[in-house]
Amino acid sequence: MSEKEKVALRYDRWTRFYDLVDNFPLVSRPQRGWKEAAVDALELQGHERVLDIGTGSGQILPWIAVRLRDGEVIGTDISKGMIRRASQRINREGLGDRARALYDDIEGSAFPDDHFDRIIATFTFTTIPDPVRAAEECARILKPGGCMVVLDTGKPRGRLSQPLFVPMMLTAKLFGRTHMDRDIVRLLSEDFSIHDCGSNFLGMVYLLKCTTG
Ligand SMILES: C[S@@+](CC[C@H](N)C(=O)[O-])C[C@H]1O[C@@H](n2cnc3c(N)ncnc32)[C@H](O)[C@@H]1O
């Protein structure tokens, strides 16, 4: 089984529990705040075509959809279970005219060049098996002048947080096939100019705004 099939299977299996963990009080409040800041960073005017890569259960799709007057948000994933869950969320919230969830592998996206005004990825780049290829694809499908917002986890700079980082990184690898030890900033720098919008949680969660050209 390829690494990608393993990731898809892992998130298929997690589908039922994902929102439960996300809604667990200790996790949900900070996570929600970080994700809301990421959606704010998109600076939507209301007409944009937005892509949420690795949307998971689609938590942020309604937050984006309500900011769009005549735009559209598409959440994509390689886990069919997650896509089903995200679609249910869209239907429940009555946002089917502005939001969709569908299968798309960002390592070889089916979307044409220069297609999206905005891309957002929350906790996705550390999970994608080939993040370099994914970054190239994001640069390809993003319109010139568009921007990509990335919220993710990474190695903290401060030595004080290192003892906390190691067990968290190992747990994330084991349960989420998530690689917190990836240098996402460095790999995104190949295709994007990066503006660091700050970090949280002892420097282990960071927000980036990426532009092309
Ligand atoms: C840690 S979850 C994050 C979900 C959601 N963005 C959130 O913030 O809750 C990462 C998601 O990325 C998806 N994913 C991994 N590799 C992918 C790829 N190549 N293309 C699209 N989605 C992918 C996984 O299936 C999973 O649903």
Side-chain angles (χ1 to χ4, degrees):
M1 196 186 279
S2 71
E3 180 57 22
K4 199 178 300 171
E5 287 167 333
K6 285 182 190 163
V7 169
L9 187 63
R10 175 63 52 93
Y11 282 93
D12 276 346
R13 288 190 175 145
W14 264 100
T15 302
R16 252 185 309 155
F17 310 106
Y18 199 81
D19 288 336
L20 218 61
V21 175
D22 255 8
N23 290 329
F24 186 72
L26 271 177
V27 181
S28 92
R29 191 168 295 197
Q31 259 222 66
R32 200 184 162 92
W34 301 331
K35 289 183 183 178
E36 280 171 353
V39 172
D40 285 346
L42 290 170
E43 297 187 88
L44 296 171
Q45 308 295 312
H47 58 269
E48 292 87 352
R49 188 183 282 150
V50 186
L51 173 66
D52 176 25
I53 61 169
T55 191
S57 63
Q59 184 183 24
I60 65 170
L61 296 178
W63 307 352
I64 297 171
V66 295
R67 296 178 189 213
L68 299 172
R69 278 188 318 279
D70 48 3
E72 180 187 31
V73 57
I74 302 176
T76 57
D77 210 289
I78 52 169
S79 156
K80 299 216 167 91
M82 287 295 190
I83 297 163
R84 243 190 334 271
R85 187 48 67 98
S87 301
Q88 285 165 358
R89 188 190 295 272
I90 292 166
N91 293 336
R92 207 173 47 236
E93 309 245 348
L95 291 165
D97 57 334
R98 275 169 283 172
R100 283 188 285 157
L102 47 89
Y103 181 94
D104 188 61
D105 175 4
I106 194 59
E107 291 172 39
S109 176
F111 292 110
D113 296 356
D114 306 337
H115 193 64
F116 290 100
D117 302 287
R118 303 278 190 276
I119 298 178
I120 185 164
T122 63
F123 305 113
T124 298
F125 267 98
T126 40
T127 308
I128 294 170
D130 186 347
V132 174
R133 185 79 198 101
E136 285 166 4
E137 282 291 84
C138 287
R140 178 183 69 75
I141 61 181
L142 186 64
K143 285 183 188 170
C147 86
M148 174 165 80
V149 170
V150 174
L151 173 73
D152 223 312
T153 49
K155 207 171 174 174
R157 287 193 197 108
R159 282 175 55 197
L160 277 178
S161 12
Q162 296 297 327
L164 191 60
F165 174 70
V166 175
M168 282 188 68
M169 178 194 64
L170 294 175
T171 309
K173 259 193 215 297
L174 189 66
F175 292 105
R177 300 195 89 87
T178 293
H179 306 278
M180 286 178 70
D181 49 345
R182 265 185 197 163
D183 190 344
I184 300 295
V185 174
R186 190 180 51 76
L187 76 87
L188 288 174
S189 305
E190 295 291 319
D191 302 282
F192 293 93
S193 304
I194 297 182
H195 173 67
D196 187 342
C197 301
S199 58
N200 285 290
F201 203 56
L202 300 170
M204 284 188 270
V205 175
Y206 56 85
L207 183 63
L208 309 171
K209 213 163 167 177
C210 313
T211 50
T212 50

